[in-house]
Amino acid sequence: MSQPRYLVAARKYRPQRFDEVVAQDHVCDTLKNAIARDRLGHAYLFSGPRGVGKTTVARILAKSINCTAPESDRDGAEPCLKCDSCQSFADGRNLNVIEIDAASNNRVDDVRELRDTVRVPPQGGLKKVYIVDEVHMLTASAFNALLKTLEEPPPYVLFIFATTEPNKVIPTILSRCQRFDFRRISVPEIVERLQGICAEESITADEASLLLIAQKGDGALRDALSVFDQAVALCGSNVTYEELAGALGVVDIELFFELTRSVRDRDSAATLDLVNRIVSAGFDFREFLAGLAEHLRNLFVAVTMPDVSLIEASTPVRSRYAEEAKSFDRHLLLRLLTIVSDTESALRNSTRPRLQLELGLLKMVSISDSVDIKRALERIDELQRSGGIAAAPPPARVPESTARSSTAAPGGPQPAPRKEAAAEASDAHTGDEAPSASDVPFEADSSEATSDHPVDDTPQETPTPLESSPDPAGRSDRVSPDLFGPPALSKRGRGPVSQAGTLEGSAALAAAVIHDAEENPDRISDWLPFVKAVKSARIHVGSLLQHAAPRKMGAGLIEIDVPDDFHKRLLENQQDFLLKHARSVIDNDLRSLRFSVRAGVSPPVGETGQDFDPYEYMQQKRKDNPVIRAIFDEFGGELVW
């Protein structure tokens, strides 16, 4: 007697009934109800990823509607698997079920041949079923040749189309079919199915091995069963994780935990040694990065979620993730995931993949912890309220006569200020207090010097810089007054500028704008609809206008304050467009708009504030302000809002 022929698990354990199909209950229940109520359609389209049961369900449906067993011998709409029709279907000799591979039969002539066979009624059955696999491979001409037959087929014909790419099926075909979308099979569902097969085959496999096989299936049970056959061929009746991981070329999870420890400890040497071991073991770099991304994702889940049920791993490994996650912050993990994604992209076209991998991992080791910008701003406010940041004295008015003094050539001795200016500046301060930026005499450009204003060659003394008072409590979290201020570089032709004086001047201007807005509420009521109208027409112009504030409105002119030259230049380029909307919203008699640069301008607050984009604003500040740009470049700052 001949030995039984070996069948792979994907064929041997292929479902024969609806209740054996894994994870597609929404499809099977609908089809069973349609059979029981005699409401079957004439065409179905099964779509979904590979290996999830599309063709299997099509065969079960064809077998069920042609089953000849009495209802007493059947379990509802399930096939009996015992009658002649079911037996002939299992043996592959049933003439009423025709399976067609559209990938190799995609021409118009093939569709014409199919239309000719449709005219022949079923032999010994109730329905003639055509199962067309990979139907999206049909050409446009073949689809069009099938339209009429598909719309009005003979009453004994049923079409079942299966495809992994339903977007490639033309709409005229889709409109003639009932569509069912098959979903990917989750890892726990695949593991449960593998455990049942292990029990049938008397195979012992630990939980970690079955999880690895299920993850390799990537949502497809058929792929997982193929990996299962490979595991049994390697390990025999006792499947172990260590042996299976080595055979499949899977990176050991211990390497990922070792890498995250190196990131936590900022250990570059250990990271380079780990890369060398990866290369020596022959692991694929992309496979390693894919596993690293999954590892970081599991850590993120452990940090964010109240439990670790979303981590697809064994119970001991889940507990390990929960313990390891205590050393990480979710912002840092997000940045690490971004680096892994960028490294994967860089590997695709790199001629030196090892260097790209090392660079990516060293970036992870060298990265600094993310700081929430909201928390940083709140901390600064707290320091200001508690006196942690020294307040600057009010600015003194600069005498007009001082502005006429000139400067010497670059690199040469600086001219001294006029005596009157020096006297007035000294009178503005008492005791040992250092002069502010406004107290320092303004020096005009040398090109403006004339014979009427002779130059004093007496060297100018350098003003004493503003120093914050020592902290009696010895606090280490004191913030420097010039940390977030404008750059220390002064414009050409100006003397040294005090940082605190600049901040105080900006605050005074902002207060003046707000005070003016409170005294003229009509101005705000006209201005806000104007900004909203501009932004609805051109969003980029409206965003720029949100950072400006009206100073004077009336007499055919609107004077607008803008924070810097960048806003002024761009808004002046849109003069005609802005004037058109201003006439329609504010006053039809407006003739011009005038823009003036005033640092620290405070725009009016209203409904336009709801449209304010903080991310866009910070990006612009990053471009314009060298201090903020240095923070991003030197400390690896990122925008998190």
Side-chain angles (χ1 to χ4, degrees):
M1 184 176 179
S2 61
Q3 294 292 331
R5 183 168 60 94
Y6 168 74
L7 288 177
V8 296
R11 294 183 59 188
K12 183 177 181 180
Y13 294 98
R14 192 167 197 166
Q16 302 298 320
R17 296 162 53 92
F18 285 117
D19 56 9
E20 296 176 3
V21 179
V22 178
Q24 310 300 341
D25 295 339
H26 63 293
V27 177
C28 295
D29 291 344
T30 304
L31 294 177
K32 288 194 294 184
N33 290 335
I35 295 173
R37 299 172 183 175
D38 195 19
R39 296 184 62 86
L40 278 174
H42 63 271
Y44 291 94
L45 177 68
F46 294 165
S47 63
R50 69 182 189 279
V52 295
K54 299 185 297 296
T55 306
T56 296
V57 173
R59 290 180 176 180
I60 296 174
L61 176 60
K63 185 163 43 178
S64 178
I65 60 179
N66 282 309
C67 181
T68 58
E71 294 184 2
S72 58
D73 296 338
R74 298 178 60 180
D75 183 11
E78 299 282 3
C80 70
L81 305 180
K82 299 177 181 179
C83 65
D84 293 339
S85 176
C86 293
Q87 289 293 331
S88 63
F89 185 90
D91 297 338
R93 51 185 177 83
N94 194 312
L95 300 178
N96 296 323
V97 180
I98 300 98
E99 294 192 34
I100 301 172
D101 178 20
S104 55
N105 299 275
N106 55 1
R107 300 173 303 171
V108 176
D109 293 340
D110 299 320
V111 175
R112 288 173 179 170
E113 183 179 351
L114 184 148
R115 290 190 308 179
D116 293 338
T117 60
V118 166
R119 301 174 184 175
V120 181
Q123 304 297 315
L126 303 177
K127 288 276 188 179
K128 197 170 187 179
V129 183
Y130 289 87
I131 302 175
V132 184
D133 204 2
E134 301 299 332
V135 70
H136 65 271
M137 298 295 290
L138 290 178
T139 63
S141 300
F143 271 130
N144 292 328
L146 186 61
L147 285 178
K148 188 62 177 176
T149 303
L150 185 62
E151 184 174 14
E152 297 179 357
Y156 50 79
V157 172
L158 174 64
F159 288 99
I160 305 176
F161 301 136
T163 178
T164 56
E165 301 181 52
N167 57 295
K168 292 185 178 181
V169 180
I170 63 176
T172 49
I173 293 291
L174 292 175
S175 64
R176 290 164 169 80
C177 302
Q178 294 185 30
R179 176 173 171 175
F180 291 91
D181 292 319
F182 287 65
R183 66 179 182 89
R184 299 170 66 89
I185 305 176
S186 65
V187 169
E189 290 170 329
I190 295 178
V191 169
E192 183 180 359
R193 180 60 175 164
L194 291 175
Q195 289 173 342
I197 295 176
C198 287
E200 291 283 340
E201 298 287 337
S202 300
I203 295 174
T204 303
D206 55 14
E207 183 183 6
S209 299
L210 296 181
L211 280 170
L212 177 58
I213 295 173
Q215 290 170 350
K216 279 291 184 179
D218 192 24
L221 181 57
R222 182 179 61 208
D223 294 8
L225 291 176
S226 298
V227 178
F228 176 78
D229 284 333
Q230 183 178 351
V232 173
L234 171 69
C235 304
S237 59
N238 186 20
V239 181
T240 59
Y241 176 82
E242 291 77 12
E243 191 174 5
L244 180 59
L248 297 179
V250 177
V251 182
D252 189 5
I253 193 174
E254 186 61 37
L255 288 178
F256 298 133
F257 280 106
E258 184 178 343
L259 176 60
T260 49
R261 284 196 298 268
S262 300
V263 172
R264 180 192 60 195
D265 300 335
R266 305 289 189 264
D267 192 347
S268 301
T271 303
L272 292 175
D273 178 69
L274 185 142
V275 173
N276 184 61
R277 282 185 284 153
I278 291 173
V279 174
S280 301
F283 293 127
D284 182 76
F285 290 166
R286 295 185 182 179
E287 188 79 15
F288 171 79
L289 289 175
L292 179 58
E294 180 68 19
H295 175 72
L296 294 174
R297 177 260 179 194
N298 292 340
L299 283 175
F300 187 84
V301 170
V303 170
T304 308
M305 302 298 293
D307 54 55
V308 292
S309 59
L310 292 181
I311 298 178
E312 296 175 346
S314 59
T315 302
V317 175
R318 288 180 178 178
S319 302
R320 189 173 181 183
Y321 274 117
E323 184 66 26
E324 191 78 11
K326 298 177 181 178
S327 304
F328 292 92
D329 179 77
R330 62 188 182 92
H331 298 293
L332 175 61
L333 292 173
L334 282 175
R335 297 178 65 185
L336 295 178
L337 282 168
T338 302
I339 293 176
V340 172
S341 178
D342 294 341
T343 306
E344 285 181 318
S345 302
L347 276 178
R348 295 190 183 100
N349 301 320
S350 176
T351 57
R352 304 182 65 183
R354 176 172 179 170
L355 178 60
Q356 292 294 338
L357 179 62
E358 289 177 337
L359 286 175
L361 298 186
L362 288 176
K363 285 181 182 179
M364 296 173 60
V365 172
S366 304
I367 198 170
S368 60
D369 290 340
S370 298
V371 177
D372 191 341
I373 188 65
K374 291 184 178 179
R375 295 180 182 176
L377 294 176
E378 291 174 357
R379 180 58 177 161
I380 293 174
D381 293 338
E382 291 176 2
L383 291 173
Q384 288 177 338
R385 288 192 296 267
S386 62
I389 299 180
R397 181 177 180 85
V398 179
E400 183 179 357
S401 60
T402 307
R404 298 193 182 97
S405 61
S406 59
T407 59
Q414 298 295 324
R418 296 183 56 156
K419 295 181 180 180
E420 297 86 354
E424 292 183 26
S426 62
D427 292 339
H429 299 276
T430 61
D432 297 332
E433 184 181 6
S436 65
S438 302
D439 302 330
V440 180
F442 176 83
E443 297 174 359
D445 192 274
S446 58
S447 61
E448 299 177 359
T450 63
S451 59
D452 296 336
H453 302 281
V455 178
D456 190 354
D457 296 333
T458 304
Q460 179 181 356
E461 296 182 0
T462 304
T464 304
L466 180 65
E467 297 179 357
S468 59
S469 59
D471 188 359
R475 292 179 299 180
S476 60
D477 57 353
R478 176 179 294 277
V479 180
S480 174
D482 59 350
L483 180 59
F484 295 102
L489 298 178
S490 59
K491 294 185 178 180
R492 179 184 176 187
R494 293 183 180 269
V497 179
S498 170
Q499 185 72 18
T502 304
L503 290 174
E504 185 66 24
S506 300
L509 176 61
V513 172
I514 295 174
H515 178 70
D516 183 57
E518 293 174 352
E519 291 183 351
N520 299 276
D522 294 339
R523 191 192 72 170
I524 303 303
S525 62
D526 291 338
W527 174 260
L528 296 181
F530 168 56
V531 176
K532 187 174 182 181
V534 171
K535 192 167 185 180
S536 62
R538 294 182 185 176
I539 187 171
H540 62 286
V541 181
S543 299
L544 292 172
L545 204 59
Q546 282 185 222
H547 302 153
R551 181 155 43 92
K552 182 179 180 182
M553 299 175 64
L557 171 68
I558 300 180
E559 296 183 11
I560 303 173
D561 293 336
V562 294
D564 48 44
D565 290 332
F566 172 80
H567 287 73
K568 178 181 178 182
R569 183 173 64 256
L570 293 183
L571 289 174
E572 284 179 343
N573 292 337
Q574 301 288 336
Q575 177 84 234
D576 296 337
F577 170 76
L578 293 172
L579 193 57
K580 172 185 174 182
H581 283 275
R583 288 170 178 168
S584 63
V585 176
I586 300 176
D587 188 356
N588 193 36
D589 296 331
L590 285 174
R591 295 186 298 274
S592 64
L593 305 174
R594 183 183 301 165
F595 299 94
S596 302
V597 176
R598 290 182 180 268
V601 62
S602 178
V605 179
E607 57 185 82
T608 55
Q610 299 174 355
D611 299 330
F612 174 69
D613 188 350
Y615 186 87
E616 178 184 351
Y617 176 76
M618 288 300 297
Q619 285 283 32
Q620 189 61 50
K621 286 299 181 183
R622 179 179 178 179
K623 295 178 182 178
D624 297 341
N625 195 312
V627 176
I628 297 179
R629 184 164 60 249
I631 292 175
F632 280 90
D633 296 341
E634 296 296 331
F635 300 101
E638 293 183 2
L639 293 178
V640 180
W641 201 276

